[in-house]
Amino acid sequence: MADKKSRMVIRILMIGDSSVGKTSLVVRYDEDTFSTKYMTTIGVDYRDKFVTIDDQNVKLQIWDTAGQERFRSLTANFFGKADGFVVCYDVASSASFDHVRSWVGDINRHKRGEVDVALCGCKCDVPADKRQVPEADAAALADEYGVDHYEASAKTNVNVATAFEELAAKIVRRKLQTAASSDAGAPGGGANLVISPDDAKPKKCACG
């Protein structure tokens, strides 16, 4: 196995309203544990996860951000350093889903260069009578933006690793393609993902 110096570093930023389940997803993925105790993120926290993607040794640096408005300016500083974003909402909170457009707007304002994005509906284990966001509505929004959509549950460990690793795989392939194009002297290179309803090309939803 290659040493850590040869690892590709991928930075993924978790964004979304407070209490939608961002931290629980990160903890489930990193430690394979779940707690019913509410964990409030203050500012930005991060965890490193070492994985192998497409035969590449990758260090995923997952930044878990606070969703409260008072931390918005602080967390915005990290947008320009991210390679990808997981935009989270709570399937039992229509308000958190309504705010997805605002979070995507923040990505557009603060990102630097190409990024990859996934839309993730958290807490998909909730009873049907508690659900406020139909899966079809979220899938339609993901298609509008041209991004993948997942419904995940940190509690039951549904689609957690899938969401992180499929997003990471997209980033790895984009970086490798860009590097190959640069080595060949070709202008540009890489997938040009623009998170804009006007320019996005709908993709098949990868819902669980």
Side-chain angles (χ1 to χ4, degrees):
M1 180 179 290
D3 60 34
K4 290 185 178 181
K5 290 184 179 180
S6 67
R7 289 185 185 273
M8 180 184 292
V9 178
I10 300 296
R11 298 179 177 90
I12 294 177
L13 198 66
M14 307 290 293
I15 60 175
D17 285 6
S18 177
S19 78
V20 296
K22 301 185 297 294
T23 299
S24 292
L25 284 185
V26 174
V27 172
R28 169 61 85 175
Y29 182 53
D30 184 40
E31 301 178 4
D32 195 22
T33 60
F34 175 77
S35 174
T36 56
K37 294 181 179 179
Y38 177 62
M39 297 170 283
T40 303
T41 302
I42 306 298
V44 178
D45 190 14
Y46 79 90
R47 292 168 180 253
D48 289 337
K49 180 83 171 180
F50 295 95
V51 296
T52 301
I53 296 175
D54 292 351
D55 296 323
Q56 291 285 323
N57 296 315
V58 176
K59 180 172 81 170
L60 291 184
Q61 190 174 82
I62 303 173
W63 295 339
D64 182 19
T65 68
Q68 294 96 328
E69 184 65 32
R70 68 179 183 274
F71 293 117
R72 203 74 174 257
S73 61
L74 171 64
T75 58
N77 294 329
F78 290 83
F79 280 56
K81 303 175 183 178
D83 300 301
F85 297 82
V86 180
V87 184
C88 296
Y89 66 93
D90 180 351
V91 302
S93 168
S94 58
S96 69
F97 181 67
D98 291 342
H99 295 158
V100 164
R101 290 186 184 276
S102 175
W103 289 107
V104 172
D106 283 352
I107 295 175
N108 278 325
R109 282 189 294 275
H110 301 297
K111 70 183 178 70
R112 296 178 184 173
E114 298 171 13
V115 298
D116 291 283
V117 177
L119 177 62
C120 186
C122 302
K123 308 179 187 178
C124 69
D125 57 279
V126 297
D129 62 343
K130 299 292 185 182
R131 176 184 282 268
Q132 296 183 9
V133 183
E135 186 174 357
D137 289 359
L141 183 61
D143 281 347
E144 179 182 327
Y145 284 126
V147 303
D148 287 330
H149 170 247
Y150 304 86
E151 286 202 342
S153 168
K155 182 178 181 179
T156 60
N157 200 16
V158 170
N159 268 348
V160 177
T162 299
F164 282 112
E165 292 176 8
E166 289 189 357
L167 176 60
K170 283 190 170 185
I171 297 169
V172 168
R173 292 164 192 161
R174 170 168 55 81
K175 283 178 171 285
L176 291 175
Q177 184 180 354
T178 300
S181 297
S182 298
D183 290 343
N192 185 21
L193 174 64
V194 179
I195 311 303
S196 168
D198 296 329
D199 300 329
K201 296 180 180 179
K203 299 180 182 179
K204 184 178 180 181
C205 174
C207 307

